[in-house]
Amino acid sequence: MISIKSSREIELMRKTCALASQTLVYIKDFVKVGVSTEELDKLCHDFIIANGAYPSPLNYHGFPKSVCTSINEVICHGIPTKKDVLKNGDILNIDVTTYLNKFHGDTNMTFLIGDVSDEVKKLVDVTYLCLREGIKQVRPGGRIGDIGAVIEQIAGDHGYGVVEEYCGHGIGREFHEEPQVTHVGIKGTGPEMKPGMTFTIEPMINLGSRHCKLLKDGWTVITKDGKKSAQFEHTILVTESGFDILTLRPDEPKNF
Ligand code: MF3
Ligand code: CO
Ligand code: CO
């Protein structure tokens, strides 16, 4: 069952999502060469707590930290650690989920560390474009498959691999709700989008093949070929006329 949020629930979704996006804005200044992902985790943790919320990943199915930090060939669910210190040329995704007033808000972005190669910058830019074009498919009467279809098309045009094992998801009172939002698909298929639905879109795009493997820690997902992977995520509301990006940051356009 896909839940339809009431106007009161939507107001609470707006608040938790605003805090999740503010956490990314806050952490941005600390993301630089020499910082460890454990330090970034602690800063995000303290910021979220200071704002009266709880970091949803912490203890979620045993996840040990408050945010996911995924460097270079790590696709998603990287665990912050003292040993992972950012180096010039790295890319880092920080995935923040907040739990505020009983609602979750989920967003992530990929940061460039120092001088990143043009090839990898392009991967990051196209991944963001995939998210934005996916979001533009959101409208009442549209189908969830419309989203994956455009993402698959754009990534494929660039010769990139789209990760299929991990998906976007409904979100609200639960961290992960129905529907599953795959990042590949066929236009006109899948569940129908209706006003009041809230879900994430979070494409993971690989420079090489789409294939991944799970490390022995049970969380960290890396590319099978060791090439870099990028991701961006927003929580989206289906409105009467289209969509609203609940985790939009001030540095992003509302539409494009
Ligand atoms: N925030 C991730 C998502 O976008 C989920 C992280 S689950 C965790 O769905 F346990 F790894 F934190
Ligand atoms: Co998510
Ligand atoms: Co997330």
Side-chain angles (χ1 to χ4, degrees):
M1 212 221 24
I2 303 177
S3 77
I4 302 291
K5 274 74 179 178
S6 67
S7 56
R8 191 186 127 264
E9 291 174 316
I10 290 167
E11 283 320 302
L12 296 173
M13 282 300 290
R14 287 188 190 285
K15 291 210 169 80
T16 190
C17 287
L19 178 59
S21 61
Q22 282 156 19
T23 306
L24 286 177
V25 172
Y26 164 76
I27 204 62
K28 194 183 171 81
D29 291 339
F30 298 96
V31 177
K32 46 180 182 243
V33 173
V35 75
S36 72
T37 53
E38 185 168 84
E39 291 171 282
L40 296 173
D41 174 77
K42 169 101 168 73
L43 287 162
C44 289
H45 173 94
D46 292 351
F47 183 84
I48 291 165
I49 297 292
N51 282 280
Y54 180 84
S56 309
L58 187 58
N59 299 320
Y60 179 76
H61 295 286
F63 191 80
K65 294 286 184 176
S66 298
V67 295
C68 298
T69 50
S70 302
I71 302 176
N72 296 335
E73 74 283 2
V74 179
I75 295 171
C76 63
H77 305 167
I79 302 172
T81 140
K82 261 204 275 301
K83 289 191 314 204
D84 283 319
V85 174
L86 299 181
K87 307 182 307 299
N88 188 48
D90 284 346
I91 57 172
L92 167 70
N93 181 281
I94 303 181
D95 192 339
V96 172
T97 313
T98 52
Y99 187 60
L100 178 66
N101 297 323
K102 302 264 167 68
F103 286 84
H104 297 272
D106 192 5
T107 185
N108 75 46
M109 67 181 288
T110 298
F111 296 91
L112 306 178
I113 315 304
D115 317 300
V116 172
S117 70
D118 288 344
E119 184 190 38
V120 173
K121 260 194 227 157
K122 174 122 188 257
L123 169 73
V124 173
D125 286 348
V126 171
T127 303
Y128 184 71
L129 182 70
C130 285
L131 171 60
R132 296 295 303 227
E133 293 299 321
I135 291 170
K136 278 163 68 179
Q137 297 302 311
V138 176
R139 62 176 71 90
R143 301 294 195 93
I144 291 292
D146 303 351
I147 299 166
V150 301
I151 294 171
E152 183 176 1
Q153 174 75 52
I154 296 166
D157 285 349
H158 288 87
Y160 298 149
V162 181
V163 174
E164 297 184 13
E165 288 83 350
Y166 302 87
C167 303
H169 48 91
I171 183 166
R173 292 180 188 274
E174 303 295 332
F175 193 165
H176 295 101
E177 301 182 351
E178 283 183 58
Q180 277 205 70
V181 181
T182 57
H183 303 111
V184 298
I186 300 170
K187 192 175 167 57
T189 68
E192 187 184 334
M193 295 183 251
K194 300 198 170 101
M197 287 181 180
T198 50
F199 53 80
T200 72
I201 304 177
E202 49 183 296
M204 285 146 271
I205 308 295
N206 299 348
L207 203 45
S209 90
R210 69 172 185 84
H211 297 287
C212 57
K213 63 182 186 200
L214 181 65
L215 296 189
K216 289 202 194 75
D217 62 21
W219 285 105
T220 311
V221 181
I222 68 169
T223 58
K224 208 169 169 186
D225 60 15
K227 294 191 181 177
K228 287 182 170 62
S229 181
Q231 184 181 23
F232 287 87
E233 174 177 31
H234 274 311
T235 297
I236 311 298
L237 167 71
V238 184
T239 64
E240 296 293 336
S241 58
F243 61 83
D244 202 351
I245 307 174
L246 300 182
T247 46
L248 191 78
R249 296 181 305 278
D251 60 288
E252 294 180 290
K254 227 174 146 117
N255 288 297
F256 79 39

